[in-house]
Amino acid sequence: RCKAAVAWEAGKPLVMEEVEVAPPQKHEVRIKILFTSLCHTDVYFWEAKGQTPLFPRIFGHEAGGIVESVGEGVTDLQPGDHVLPIFTGECGDCRHCHSEESNMCDLLRINTERGGMIHDGESRFSINGKPIHHFLGTSTFSEYTVVHSGQVAKINPDAPLDKVCIVSCGLSTGLGATLNVAKPKKGQSVAIFGLGAVGLAAAEGARIAGASRIIGVDLNSKRFDQAKEFGVTEFVNPKDHDKPVQQVIAEMTDGGVDRSVECTGSVQAMIQAFECVHDGWGVAVLVGVPSKDDAFKTHPMNLLNERTLKGTFFGNYKPKTDIPGVVEKYMNKELELEKFITHTVPFSEINKAFDYMLKGES
């Protein structure tokens, strides 16, 4: 039995409840969650706009904790291991897991509709015998949670969990989009569309890669000052210009940037990010998740003129194989995490964290 923040219905404040967390079953581990952070995806599904509502539910998918117990068949984790639970997984057996180019595991790929565990479809959470739905197989807004072992990255026990917990989603998504997919060379220019947490992580990747110019594009000019800390050197607010932003960027950079990373989910921004890269060698990477009816429209000549358009999921990082290395980057002072953390609130006041995010203050 432990405390969990339960969402009973869409958009209503979370309620601190005592829940019962069942023991881990086959290929599962039970984790004591010490720190959890909040991602916009939690808010999106809590508001339940545009997808199947599933309540009551325990949200949360960016966290750090310690393994409390392991289920049958788990050989690579044991009680006491420091871990990050992750919303996508690595089974190690499917074609995706065997491919060096993919991290999209067939078994454990993100599934927002699933409210139970893969092994038996049942929930491991209950209140007075009534099941509470899981979220993304992680449900970290609980003092204890049960996660498939393929969704658990074992990390350096010396890493401070209150900092590295943010590596388990947004930070890795943005960082990997730049370092693993856009791959800017030292001295090149990079445009980042959207300066939320994921976009700032993408800028951090460009900074680490040694980009000479990092151009931030956002409709909220208040974000520009903060973005300087993440290596952003110049800013463009599309609202300040009477011509398409891709044209503005092309004029600033003598024909276009070398790389662009789109982190907004707006299909207009995706098109702009693609059309603002230089012909001959420019690479644009899409990270943001579009609305379901969106269509991407550009003239085929943009591709024939040797621009490349790529997509990425979770920064192309394999959760178990690669995420421990991202934590090491932080431990070796190559990656700065502290600047991504704006507020710290007690678990009992989790609704405050939702307020900060809804107001755009965090």
Side-chain angles (χ1 to χ4, degrees):
R1 290 172 183 277
C2 69
K3 287 267 186 287
V6 177
W8 289 99
E9 51 186 307
K12 292 282 162 52
L14 306 186
V15 182
M16 277 295 159
E17 304 279 10
E18 184 176 81
V19 298
E20 207 159 297
V21 186
Q25 303 297 306
K26 196 174 180 183
H27 300 310
E28 295 171 2
V29 296
R30 189 160 59 185
I31 302 169
K32 180 180 173 70
I33 298 291
L34 297 179
F35 299 94
T36 184
S37 83
L38 180 58
C39 165
H40 202 271
T41 306
D42 297 307
V43 175
Y44 182 73
F45 282 89
W46 165 72
E47 290 177 328
K49 293 175 181 169
Q51 74 281 327
T52 319
L54 201 54
F55 295 95
R57 203 170 199 183
I58 297 173
F59 288 106
H61 65 281
E62 281 193 4
I66 295 173
V67 174
E68 178 266 343
S69 56
V70 303
E72 181 196 330
V74 177
T75 54
D76 60 333
L77 294 160
Q78 57 194 31
D81 284 347
H82 286 223
V83 294
L84 304 179
I86 296 180
F87 67 90
T88 180
E90 186 180 347
C91 72
D93 294 326
C94 68
R95 286 178 68 192
H96 284 278
C97 286
H98 285 302
S99 160
E100 284 179 17
E101 294 173 45
S102 175
N103 65 340
M104 300 187 73
C105 174
D106 280 334
L107 178 69
L108 299 169
R109 189 181 303 190
I110 185 172
N111 182 340
T112 59
E113 306 278 312
R114 195 170 56 230
M117 296 300 288
I118 284 178
H119 174 55
D120 55 9
E122 301 290 318
S123 173
R124 303 288 175 258
F125 298 109
S126 61
I127 296 179
N128 302 327
K130 293 201 173 93
I132 308 288
H133 295 295
H134 290 247
F135 179 61
L136 301 185
T138 51
S139 292
T140 62
F141 294 170
S142 175
E143 291 173 331
Y144 286 87
T145 188
V146 175
V147 181
H148 190 287
S149 65
Q151 287 182 241
V152 179
K154 180 181 170 180
I155 61 162
N156 183 338
D158 294 332
L161 288 169
D162 61 330
K163 307 292 188 290
V164 297
C165 62
I166 65 168
V167 168
S168 55
C169 175
L171 180 115
S172 297
T173 297
L175 187 74
T178 304
L179 293 178
N180 299 337
V181 189
K183 296 181 179 167
K185 298 182 177 79
K186 198 173 168 56
Q188 286 191 322
S189 57
V190 181
I192 310 286
F193 286 73
L195 299 175
V198 175
L200 293 174
E204 181 78 352
R207 182 187 72 77
I208 291 169
S212 60
R213 297 175 72 180
I214 304 173
I215 301 168
V217 183
D218 201 291
L219 296 168
N220 179 357
S221 295
K222 285 183 190 156
R223 288 181 155 173
F224 293 164
D225 268 351
Q226 188 189 25
K228 288 176 189 160
E229 289 177 51
F230 299 83
V232 174
T233 56
E234 296 154 78
F235 304 102
V236 176
N237 185 335
K239 290 193 289 200
D240 296 342
H241 300 273
D242 51 9
K243 52 182 140 185
V245 75
Q246 51 270 54
Q247 210 176 316
V248 174
I249 291 171
E251 287 167 13
M252 285 168 69
T253 54
D254 189 24
V257 285
D258 302 303
R259 303 287 185 262
S260 72
V261 185
E262 179 282 322
C263 306
T264 68
S266 147
V267 76
Q268 281 76 28
M270 294 177 188
I271 295 164
Q272 291 160 355
F274 175 54
E275 294 182 352
C276 82
V277 298
H278 207 290
D279 57 7
W281 62 80
V283 178
V285 178
L286 306 186
V287 180
V289 179
S291 301
K292 65 178 194 309
D293 298 327
D294 281 341
F296 185 99
K297 191 176 175 193
T298 190
H299 197 281
M301 277 315 295
N302 288 321
L303 285 157
L304 296 174
N305 286 338
E306 299 179 10
R307 290 179 184 88
T308 301
L309 180 63
K310 289 180 160 190
T312 177
F313 168 69
F314 191 49
N316 278 43
Y317 285 118
K318 290 182 189 278
K320 291 178 84 77
T321 305
D322 299 330
I323 292 306
V326 179
V327 170
E328 289 310 308
K329 266 192 185 353
Y330 167 68
M331 297 300 280
N332 298 335
K333 301 200 167 29
E334 294 166 50
L335 172 64
E336 297 167 16
L337 294 183
E338 284 79 2
K339 62 192 180 186
F340 286 91
I341 300 168
T342 55
H343 299 76
T344 305
V345 297
F347 182 42
S348 59
E349 296 172 24
I350 190 168
N351 289 304
K352 239 187 221 177
F354 272 74
D355 288 341
Y356 289 134
M357 183 166 269
L358 290 167
K359 288 177 185 156
E361 291 172 8
S362 60

